[in-house]
Amino acid sequence: MTSMSRARVARRIAAGAAYGGGGIGLAGAAAVGLVLAEVRMARRHVGNGTSNHVPNADGRYGRLYATPGEPLLRLTILGDSTAAGQGVHRAGQTPGALLASGLAAVAERQVALRNVALPGARSDDLDRQVALVLADPALVPDICVIMVGANDVTNRMPATRSVRHLSTAVRRLRTAGAEVVVGTCPDLGTIEPVQQPLRWLARRASRQLAAAQTIGVVEQGGRTVSLGDLLGPEFAANPRELFGPDNYHPSAEGYATAAMAVLPTLCAALGLWPAEEERPDVTRHEGFLPVAHAAAKAASEAGTEVTAAMPTGPKGPWALLKRRRRRRVQEAEPTSTPPSPSGV
């Protein structure tokens, strides 16, 4: 599928989400049904290599930057098993911990991390997760990271419904005052046990949803980072190193690669990135595009950021497409783990 045709499909899905359409809008119901069956078989085949346990990484990061009286930066993670960090054994290996420690280093402030992501969650679980996040008005996060979409594809959730739930979640968080960064649907075509031609169908469905997610998120004032083939060509080139024991969830190295791609956008959303980095760099093929075209390009290139630019233009809303330089992040443990979420 070309970038232009992907942009048209993404526009239709996003419009259906906004105005109540319910069509599946992906690669077709029959094709997605085959992908679903194949992925389920793959997960049964490789599922003995890991457990459903997810390390608890909630707590404070950046002990060296603790300053009496200075408020904490509050980071909250929402979404599915990838957001939760399923597949690794230590808290410091989860994407939340990696992002919290990286954010603390850039901001030179302590960061309080809370993770409400749920393994197996689809986008319709975001309503519940957002309610948890916003339950206490005194603890509204400064920034939220959402990673969701893979289970929507494998469970055949209509794309319009998927994008509608995600857009609503972003709108509620932005209205409450939180910045929002969304890691869009990963490329299910990278799951090793899925064979051709279903691998191609899985990739197509994933990218269509990712592009539509980007349009919905940007329209609500959030930013997206394309997870693509699980955040980078490294996954395709080194699947043994970057996938976990189940060949489905990322390994510790895979999550570190993911965090490196998301961290710059996290920092930019909070105004922590150098001003010169905010200007489009033509040598990296950055620039302003109609939002649907930016979304389609981002869906094809992992680690690409899309954020709102101009509300109107010759072809509707425009967005800024960025290919930020990645920042290395290191495994870290929280300096303290509170007894309950209210203590974060």
Side-chain angles (χ1 to χ4, degrees), residues 85-166:
Q86 186 172 347
V88 295
H89 302 291
R90 295 197 297 269
Q93 298 172 329
T94 63
L98 294 166
L99 289 171
S101 59
L103 180 58
V106 174
E108 297 186 347
R109 287 173 60 183
Q110 278 200 308
V111 174
L113 171 67
R114 184 184 180 191
N115 196 323
V116 299
L118 179 68
R122 305 181 306 182
S123 293
D124 54 3
D125 191 57
L126 291 176
D127 299 342
R128 180 192 64 83
Q129 294 182 28
V130 170
L132 287 174
V133 172
L134 301 181
D136 187 343
L139 296 175
V140 172
D142 294 289
I143 190 159
C144 296
V145 174
I146 303 174
M147 297 181 182
V148 76
N151 296 316
D152 297 22
V153 175
T154 59
N155 286 279
R156 289 185 288 182
M157 175 182 284
T160 49
R161 183 181 167 201
S162 173
V163 173
R164 188 180 306 127
H165 282 292
L166 177 59

Side-chain angles (χ1 to χ4, degrees), residues 61-67 108-110 335:
Y61 292 76
R63 176 180 55 85
L64 296 176
Y65 308 111
T67 302
E108 297 186 347
R109 287 173 60 183
Q110 278 200 308
T335 58

Side-chain angles (χ1 to χ4, degrees), residues 35 90 138 161 174 194 198 245 257 326 338:
V35 171
R90 295 197 297 269
R161 183 181 167 201
R174 293 289 292 129
V194 177
L198 297 183
T257 301
R326 298 182 184 182

